[in-house]
Amino acid sequence: MEKTNSNSGLLRTKSDQLLETMAAAMAAMKSPTSEAGQESGSGGMLSRKSSKRLAMASPGRGGSGSSRNNTHIRKSRSAQMKLELDDVSSGAALSRASSASLGFSFSFTGFTMPPDETGDSRPFSDDDIPEDLEAGTRKKIVHAEPTLPIYLKFTEVTYKVILRGITSTQEKDILNGITGSVNPGEVLALMGPSGSGKTTLLSLLGGRLTEPNTGGSITYNDQPYSKFLKSRIGFVTQDDVLFPHLTVKETLTYAALLRLPKKLTKEEKEKRATDVIYELGLERCQDTMIGGSFVRGVSGGERKRVCIGNEIIINPSLLFLDEPTSGLDSTTALRIVEMLQDIAEAGKTVITTIHQPSSRLFHKFDKLILLGKGSLIYFGKASEAVVYFSSIGCSPLIAMNPAEFLLDLANGNINDVSVPSELEDKVQMGNSTTDTRNGKPTPAVVHEIPRKLELSWNLKFLANVWFCLGMELSFPVEAYETRVADSEKKKLMVPIPIDEEMKSKVYSAKREWGASWGQQFSILFWRGLKERRHDYFSWLRITQVLSTAIILGLLWWQSQGNNVKELQDQAGLLFFIAVFWGFFPVFTAIFTFPQERAMLNKERAADMYRLSAYFMARTTTDLPLDLLLPLLFILVVYFMAGLRQSPGPFFLTMLTVFLCIVAAQGLGLAIGATLMDVKRATTLASVTVMTFMLAGGFFVKKVPVFISWLRYLSFNYHTYKLLLKVQYEHITHTFNGMRIDSGLKEVIALVAMVIGYRLLAYLLLRRMKLQPGN
C-alpha cells in the first residue's frame, strides 16, 4: 500500500515538475520573442519557414554549458509545440503533450528539465536549426546575386505517343489538356499515381520534350521556349546520374567550370562550387567519392543533394526536380523539400514531381497539380485541396495523410472515403448492370450515367472521377473543367508584373557556352582521367595482361629465327600479339558510350559542352592509360621470347602495337555508338573481331578472290605484316607467300582506320536523340 502511494506521489511530483517547467519556459519566451520580431523586421523579408515555425523555449547557449546541458538543449529544441499558458495549468495540455510524443515524452520516463536550466530560454529561431546526421547542419541558401524571374504558364498541354505494332499503329494519350501556372518564389508539386504523366509533364515544362506530337501552350514570361533558356533552367532527374569515382567537391567543381559564364575566372567558379557545398551541408563529405553499385560512397540523401547542387550552381531561374525524395527516409526528404523552399524564396520558380509525400512534406508546397491517367483532377493551392474535395462531397472517413487521400481519389479508390449514398449505390449498380466492353463500361455508358441518375454537379464530378479514371477511360474530367478550369484560365490571362525588357531577355537565339572549346576539352580530359584511372589500374586488368605476357614468354622462351622452322614459331607469336592487342581494346571501347549514355544525355540537355569537345576528350583520355599496359606487356614478352635484340626493332614493334590499339579502339567506339546497347554491341564486336582474325593472313594463305578484299579491312592483317617486316626484313623479303615491303601501305591503312572509325562514331553520336527526362 505504501508502495502504491509512493508511486502515485512520484507521478504527481513529475507531472507538477513538467507543468512548472513549461510554465517557466513560456514565461521566459515573451521577452526574446519581441526582440526577435524587431530583428526580423529590420533584417528584411522573413522566410516562409521562420514565419510558420511554432514558438518553443530552448535553453540558452551560455559558456557554462556541459554535455548534460547539451542533452537538454537537443531535447528541448525537438519539442516544437505551442502551448498556451492557460492550457498549461489544465490536464488537457498535459494529455496533448503526452499523446503528441514529439518533445516532452521523455518527461514521463523519469527525466525532467530543472527549472534553473530554463531561466535563460528563448524562442527557437533560424540560428538554432538542429543538426541532422543525414542532412548535415542545415544552412540558408546564400545565392544573393539577382536572377531573371520567370513566370511559367501552361494551357491545354497534351502529349501523345504512337504505338507501332506489327500490323497496326495506334495513338495513346499521355496528357489531356493540363493547365496551370507557377510564379517566382513558389513551389509547385506535381502529384499522382504511377503512370499518371508526372514525369512527362515535367519534361515538357522543362523543354526536354520537343516532339511534334505535343499540343497546348507553354510560355516563360509570355515567351515560347528557346535554347537560351537552357542556361536558366536546372533539371534534376529521378536517377542520380553521377560519376562514381569523383569526389563531391570534384563533381561540383567540374560542373562550375563548365556551366558558369565565361566572364567568371577559374578561381571565382571554384569558389562558387565551395559555396554550394556549404549551402547544401556537404562539407563533411566533400572529399568522399560519390560511389555507385560497386563503389562505396556517400549516402542517398547526400547523393541527391549533389545532384541538386549540380543545377543550383548556375543560379537558375527555373528548377525542375523529378521525384527528389524517392528512396529517402522521411527526415531526409523533409530536409530536401525545405531546401527547395529556401531556393524558391530567393526568387526562383521550383517545380517538382512527388510520388507519395508525408503529411509534413505535403504542407510545404505552395501549389499542387493532381493528375490521374493523364487528366487534371485539381490545380490550386496545396493547402486548399482537401477543403475543395470536401466541398464537393468527398472527404476521408478516417484521419489520414492528405496526400494519401488525394492519391486514392486519383486512383479511383473510394475505400475509407465519404461519398454521397446515392452515388455509391448507383456506382455499385452500374458495375453490375451497365454495358461493358472487355470487362469495362463503354464511354457512351459513362457519359449517360450522370444524366440518367439525375445527380447534382458534385455527383457528376465524382462519377467522372471514379468511372473515367478508375475504369481507365481516357477523356478529361468534365466536372473540373465545368467548375474550376475556366476561372484558372482567366487567371492565366492576367499580365505578369514585369516589363517588356525583362520578357525579351527570355528569348534569344544565341547559345552561350560556359567555356571555350579548348577549355571544355581540357576540363573534360582531366575529369575523364580522374574517373577512369581506377579502372585502368585495377589489379584485375594488370594481372590479366601480365599473366598473358609471362605465359607467352615461357612458351616462346628465347626462340631463335635462324631457320624457316624457327621463323614459323616466332611468326605465331607475332600474330598472337597482333590479335591480342586488336581484341583487347575493342571490347574495352564498346562500353564507353553505352555506359555514359545517361550522363551524356543529361549534360548535353543542359548545354554543358560541345559534343565535339566531349568526343575528343573522351577518346584521348583513354590513350595514356591504354598505352601503359601494352608497354609493360611488350617489355616482358620481347626479351623473354628473344626477339630481335636492338633498339630500332624494339621501338618499331612498340609503335606498331600502339597503332593497332588506337585503330581497334576506333572500331569499338563506332560499334558502341551504333548500337548503344552493351549486349548487342558485344555480339557484333565478337563476330567482327573473329572475321578480322581469320582474314589476318596467318590461318589462310590463299584467300578466294571474291573475298580477298576482307583482309584489307582487318587491322590484324596490317599489324601482322608490319611486325614481320620489323623482325625479318634483314633475313627475307617474303614469308609464307606474303611480301615484306616498306610497310608504308600498312601504316596508311591503320591511320585511315584510326581516323575513319572515330569519325563514324562521332557522326553516330550526333544523331543520338536525347531521352525524355534526361
Side-chain angles (χ1 to χ4, degrees), residues 234-424:
F235 199 104
V236 181
T237 57
Q238 182 175 353
D239 299 324
D240 300 331
V241 184
L242 298 167
F243 286 115
H245 292 103
L246 295 182
T247 65
V248 171
K249 187 174 183 178
E250 289 171 345
T251 300
L252 294 175
T253 299
Y254 286 127
L257 293 175
L258 288 169
R259 301 189 68 179
L260 292 178
K262 291 181 183 179
K263 61 183 180 181
L264 298 180
T265 63
K266 181 180 179 181
E267 291 74 18
E268 290 174 335
K269 292 182 178 181
E270 291 176 346
K271 184 179 182 301
R272 174 71 68 84
T274 304
D275 291 341
V276 170
I277 288 174
Y278 281 88
E279 289 171 21
L280 300 180
L282 296 170
E283 61 272 14
R284 293 183 310 156
C285 60
Q286 60 180 328
D287 296 321
T288 305
M289 285 195 303
I290 297 295
S293 302
F294 305 102
V295 183
R296 192 172 183 179
V298 298
S299 65
E302 290 167 338
R303 187 180 292 110
K304 181 61 68 175
R305 279 180 283 152
V306 173
C307 293
I308 296 175
N310 263 332
E311 303 304 323
I312 68 172
I313 203 167
I314 62 172
N315 192 30
S317 300
L318 282 167
L319 181 61
F320 297 89
L321 304 100
D322 191 4
E323 297 194 15
T325 60
S326 294
L328 304 180
D329 61 86
S330 59
T331 302
T332 307
L334 180 63
R335 296 293 182 188
I336 295 291
V337 175
E338 286 177 341
M339 183 178 63
L340 298 183
Q341 282 188 321
D342 293 338
I343 295 172
E345 287 171 3
K348 298 171 177 58
T349 305
V350 180
I351 303 98
T352 178
T353 62
I354 199 81
H355 185 62
Q356 191 170 2
S358 65
S359 55
R360 290 191 299 174
L361 260 65
F362 180 80
H363 292 295
K364 297 290 183 182
F365 301 122
D366 297 303
K367 289 184 177 180
L368 172 70
I369 284 182
L370 182 62
L371 298 175
K373 300 296 181 182
S375 299
L376 183 60
I377 300 177
Y378 175 80
F379 167 65
K381 294 183 178 180
S383 58
E384 299 175 358
V386 177
V387 177
Y388 165 75
F389 286 107
S390 298
S391 68
I392 61 175
C394 182
S395 59
L397 291 174
I398 60 175
M400 66 169 63
N401 180 355
E404 186 177 354
F405 164 66
L406 296 178
L407 287 173
D408 282 345
L409 291 180
N411 276 311
N413 179 15
I414 61 174
N415 295 329
D416 300 324
V417 175
S418 173
V419 298
S421 58
E422 296 88 348
L423 177 66
E424 188 172 1

Side-chain angles (χ1 to χ4, degrees), residues 26-87:
M26 298 304 296
M29 184 184 69
K30 291 183 177 179
S31 177
T33 303
S34 60
E35 294 176 3
Q38 294 175 0
E39 292 176 1
S40 64
S42 60
M45 181 182 66
L46 283 173
S47 70
R48 188 168 22 183
K49 186 173 65 284
S50 301
S51 63
K52 290 184 179 179
R53 182 174 289 125
L54 301 178
M56 186 62 202
S58 60
R61 293 178 289 184
S64 60
S66 63
S67 61
R68 184 170 60 88
N69 293 341
N70 290 337
T71 302
H72 298 330
I73 289 173
R74 288 194 300 269
K75 291 183 178 180
S76 61
R77 286 179 184 174
S78 65
Q80 299 183 18
M81 299 185 300
K82 186 176 181 180
L83 301 179
E84 300 294 341
L85 291 177
D86 295 338
D87 293 337

